[in-house]
Amino acid sequence: MLPLVVYVVMLTIAFFFQGALIFPRYAVGEPDPYVLQGLPSTQQFTLPAVDGTPIIAWFTPGDSRDAATPGACIIFAHGNGELIDHNARVVNMYRRLGVSTLLVEYRGYGRSRGSPSQQTIVSDFAAAREWLDTRPEVDQSRIIYHGRSLGGGVLLALAESHPPAAVIVESTFTSMRDMFRRHFVPGFLCRHPFENARVLPRLGVPTLIMHGTKDTLIPPAHGKRLADLTPGAVYRTFECGHNDLPPDFAAYERFITDFLTALTASGPPVHPR
């Protein structure tokens, strides 16, 4: 009888408190007030969210990109235990490659207000995607989604209504329902399903998938499954866990650069190195 009671309590917690489990916004710390000093070309602005909630975003133009020479742009979505502040190195990597970046802070995280959910966050990213239409330095035919962990789910959900030119996901799960089932919680209790394994194969765009072979939070079988389901996907692994990917930033940059360079036959979307 006691095991059954414990299981029912666990299911109750999973159902009513899953928002705090999936979006642990109170455990990620405060924004870095000095981070933009290392990103001198970055514009911080308040995104015009549909419901008026103040959502903070960063836009960084790629080096040498302007209205005369527009280029690719990455929309980047971070993991659920991060802030946009934690991704300055990735922003600078793309900037050096001549690729612009747009980072959107999740609701309730960092400087953004509101409460996070799959629906509200994806809505904010849709507004961000539409905001990019105003940027003359962005080639609208080369908008690429790069999501880490939960961020992969956010951007693949966005892709259903706003398809990208290509997708990069790292340490990402097949679906949140699968993650629930991994912990013996029925998938139907999940209110934020993030059905990545359903969406990604249907997009029909170039895809790069990266995963740590020692990831115990989101097992590497999830990344391999996404790769197996997605025709033509490039699959790369690192000898690391979940939070320490990439252990070798030079290899990480090389994988991404090679992927971007191969995207179009008419010419690479990045500057030659």
Side-chain angles (χ1 to χ4, degrees), residues 15-28 51 53-55 78-83 104-125 150-151 154 176 191-194:
F15 182 77
F16 288 103
F17 297 98
Q18 62 184 267
L21 297 172
I22 297 172
F23 308 104
R25 48 187 169 148
Y26 300 112
V28 299
D51 63 358
T53 299
I55 304 299
H78 60 68
N80 69 347
E82 300 178 281
L83 301 173
V104 181
E105 191 56 277
Y106 299 154
R107 291 183 175 225
Y109 279 68
R111 305 169 187 85
S112 292
R113 305 279 70 83
S115 297
S117 70
Q118 176 171 340
Q119 180 179 358
T120 58
I121 290 177
V122 173
S123 173
D124 295 337
F125 272 78
L150 178 73
V154 170
M176 190 59 71
R191 299 196 302 272
H192 313 277
F194 292 111

Side-chain angles (χ1 to χ4, degrees), residues 136-156:
E137 63 272 77
V138 172
D139 180 344
Q140 301 299 320
S141 69
R142 291 194 286 173
I143 294 177
I144 300 160
Y145 296 169
H146 182 168
R148 175 182 297 134
S149 191
L150 178 73
V154 170
L155 290 175
L156 289 176

Side-chain angles (χ1 to χ4, degrees), residues 63 135 161 203 252 256:
D63 284 351
R135 303 304 307 190
S161 58
L203 294 179
Y252 178 82
I256 290 174

Side-chain angles (χ1 to χ4, degrees), residues 4-5 10 36-38 44 59-60 67 73 77 82 92 98 106 127 135 145 161 164 170 199 205 221 226 232 247 263:
L4 178 59
V5 171
M10 184 181 74
L36 290 177
Q37 293 180 8
Q44 178 174 291
F59 178 75
T60 306
C73 181
E82 300 178 281
N92 277 325
Y106 299 154
R135 303 304 307 190
Y145 296 169
S161 58
E170 54 181 279
V199 176
V205 299
L226 290 175
L263 282 181

